[in-house]
Amino acid sequence: MQFRLALIPGLISLALTACSQDIKIPEVPAEAAIGPKGPMRIVLKPAQEQQINIALGRAAVRPFPVTVQATGQVKAASDRVAHISTPVAGRVTSVMVSLGQPISAGQTLATLKSDDVGQIQADLLQSALQSDADIRSAKVQLAFSKATYEREQKLFNDRISSRADLEAARTQYAKDLSSYQAFQAKQQATVTIAQERLSLYGVSPGIAARVVRNRRVDPYITISAPRSGLLISRSINTGELADPSKELFSTADLSRIWLVANVYEKDIDKVHVGQSVKLTLDSLPGKVYPGQISYIANTLDPETRTLSIRADVPNPGRSLKPDMFARMQVLIGNTGVLSVPRSALQRSGDFNYAYVPLGNHRYEERRVEVGLDDGQFVEIKSGLKPSEAVVTRGTLALQGEALKLSGGIQ
């Protein structure tokens, strides 16, 4: 009995081993679990077809642009950006503009009170007052010399005075006239020099003469826009101190912008200055902006192995803003490819579908592989043949019918 019990485990192990050797479970690929989806046939009733208002087109070989794709960023054109600072230190007394505001050339942006400007004007006023005193004194002396000369002239004509006395009076009169004119010229030169110094500090022409005329110091200067544009930065407020090292404002004319993009090393020999480009943005779907390459860098970025290029792009509507991300297509030629209108395609999941008419109100949903897209037509790499008819209007309704047939819609 003990011998039989000892044999039982061995017999069981032997039986299991034999079973494992005789029975093999076949391996089934995961994709085989889902049968390949064949073309879906859709049958419409005449009333449905009329309601959908189906229109047809054809797959045809059309010229497509050959492009180099690049991504980049919108930038304000540097030659249209004005960086504005103060030519002299001072305290801001008023700011007249706000960020994002359109600015006209010559428009006042801010005013500053400058001690340096005030000191120049004070020195000018002091010199002017001294010059006025000298001029008045010289004028009195000139009037006296003139009267003396005229009297000596009369006495000489009447043979009462000698010629020596007449010549002495004439000499004194000429001397006093020269002194009077010299004081006047000195005052004018002082005003001119002061105005030139003030102009270096951004003070308007005529301020020095006005200081002398009004006998009043005006230590304020205005910061004006050198050109029209949009105010894109403002870094000063009323009451703050400003100096020439600090940029106060910057304006940009955005009627033309730059698109700065990076081209991969393999495409470098395909791009050249003067080539046409198209710019598109995810934030402005459906819009295409034409431009032209204006600059190509001379060195590659060693880390990304890309070359920086720049395109000039007109922006008449100002819809392109600095720092927007954009895509650039560099047009390098054309090629003929089989394509259909974009309206002929519908997408479901990861696949694109076209709808082919079979006649008698029947349509076939055809999976197609797509390629280039020029915004109007889409390249067909597989799934359709040249001249094959496709539905170009009503594809969304046909897709809905196909989903019903496949059980996707109850």
Side-chain angles (χ1 to χ4, degrees):
M1 177 63 70
Q2 291 179 353
F3 175 75
R4 290 177 180 177
L5 292 174
L7 287 176
I8 290 173
L11 292 172
I12 293 172
S13 174
L14 183 61
L16 290 174
T17 302
C19 290
S20 65
Q21 292 176 348
D22 295 339
I23 302 173
K24 294 184 178 180
I25 301 174
E27 296 181 0
V28 180
E31 58 270 18
I34 302 175
K37 180 183 177 182
M40 180 73 67
R41 300 291 176 86
I42 305 161
V43 181
L44 298 179
K45 296 177 181 179
Q48 283 181 293
E49 201 170 44
Q50 186 175 6
Q51 183 179 10
I52 293 173
N53 193 23
I54 287 175
L56 302 180
R58 291 192 179 276
V61 176
R62 297 179 176 90
F64 256 66
V66 180
T67 63
V68 169
Q69 307 288 330
T71 57
Q73 226 174 356
V74 174
K75 298 290 184 183
S78 294
D79 58 350
R80 294 179 175 237
V81 175
H83 301 280
I84 304 166
S85 60
T86 173
V88 63
R91 187 173 297 277
V92 179
T93 57
S94 62
V95 179
M96 288 79 167
V97 291
S98 302
L99 198 62
Q101 177 181 334
I103 302 299
S104 301
Q107 181 175 340
T108 298
L109 308 179
T111 59
L112 278 72
K113 183 178 181 181
S114 170
D115 291 340
D116 292 337
V117 170
Q119 186 61 53
I120 293 173
Q121 293 181 358
D123 293 343
L124 169 62
L125 187 56
Q126 183 177 1
S127 297
L129 293 174
Q130 181 62 49
S131 294
D132 283 347
D134 293 339
I135 290 173
R136 285 194 299 270
S137 177
K139 188 176 182 179
V140 171
Q141 180 62 39
L142 178 61
F144 177 76
S145 299
K146 182 180 181 181
T148 301
Y149 170 64
E150 290 175 346
R151 185 177 65 250
E152 289 296 331
Q153 180 72 49
K154 186 176 183 300
L155 291 174
F156 177 77
N157 291 338
D158 293 340
R159 299 182 181 275
I160 298 175
S161 178
S162 66
R163 178 172 291 278
D165 293 334
L166 175 61
E167 292 300 326
R170 178 186 290 139
T171 301
Q172 186 62 44
Y173 173 62
K175 181 179 178 182
D176 292 340
L177 177 60
S178 177
S179 296
Y180 176 71
Q181 291 173 339
F183 283 126
Q184 285 185 316
K186 179 181 178 181
Q187 185 182 63
Q188 185 58 47
T190 302
V191 173
T192 301
I193 293 171
Q195 181 62 56
E196 290 177 353
R197 293 179 63 192
L198 291 172
S199 296
L200 296 176
Y201 290 154
V203 177
S204 303
I207 294 298
R210 191 174 70 187
V211 168
V212 173
R213 184 173 60 253
N214 297 339
R215 300 292 193 267
R216 183 171 61 86
V217 171
D218 183 9
Y220 296 93
I221 67 169
T222 59
I223 307 299
S224 302
R227 62 171 64 179
S228 299
L230 196 71
L231 191 71
I232 60 175
S233 74
R234 166 185 158 175
S235 58
I236 199 71
N237 293 301
T238 301
E240 295 181 0
L241 290 174
D243 63 75
S245 66
K246 181 179 181 180
E247 181 181 295
L248 305 183
F249 306 96
S250 61
T251 63
D253 177 4
L254 298 180
S255 61
R256 177 174 62 83
I257 57 91
W258 285 349
L259 177 64
V260 180
N262 297 310
V263 173
Y264 288 107
E265 188 172 3
K266 63 182 180 63
D267 295 323
I268 289 176
D269 61 339
K270 301 175 185 176
V271 298
H272 309 282
V273 171
Q275 282 178 314
S276 297
V277 303
K278 289 183 178 180
L279 182 155
T280 57
L281 302 92
D282 292 341
S283 57
L284 298 171
K287 293 187 176 181
V288 178
Y289 298 85
Q292 191 174 58
I293 295 178
S294 59
Y295 168 79
I296 298 177
N298 294 316
T299 57
L300 274 74
D301 185 318
E303 295 183 0
T304 63
R305 306 304 300 174
T306 58
L307 187 71
S308 177
I309 66 174
R310 188 181 73 212
D312 286 358
V313 181
N315 185 28
R318 291 5 180 232
S319 54
L320 299 175
K321 311 295 183 185
D323 298 326
M324 278 183 166
F325 286 101
R327 293 183 178 87
M328 178 194 291
Q329 293 182 351
V330 184
L331 308 179
I332 61 175
N334 287 284
T335 186
V337 299
L338 183 65
S339 63
V340 297
R342 294 188 72 185
S343 61
L345 300 177
Q346 291 293 334
R347 189 171 181 84
S348 178
D350 295 330
F351 303 103
N352 293 279
Y353 295 92
Y355 297 86
V356 179
L358 303 176
N360 295 325
H361 314 294
R362 296 178 303 129
Y363 299 88
E364 180 179 278
E365 183 182 67
R366 190 90 56 84
R367 182 185 295 178
V368 296
E369 183 183 356
V370 301
L372 300 173
D373 183 345
D374 70 355
Q376 185 178 4
F377 295 95
V378 180
E379 178 188 7
I380 300 298
K381 292 184 174 181
S382 65
L384 292 173
K385 298 176 182 179
S387 300
E388 193 166 13
V390 292
V391 176
T392 58
R393 186 175 63 219
T395 53
L396 184 59
L398 290 174
Q399 185 183 43
E401 293 297 323
L403 286 171
K404 290 179 183 179
L405 292 174
S406 65
I409 297 178
Q410 301 298 325

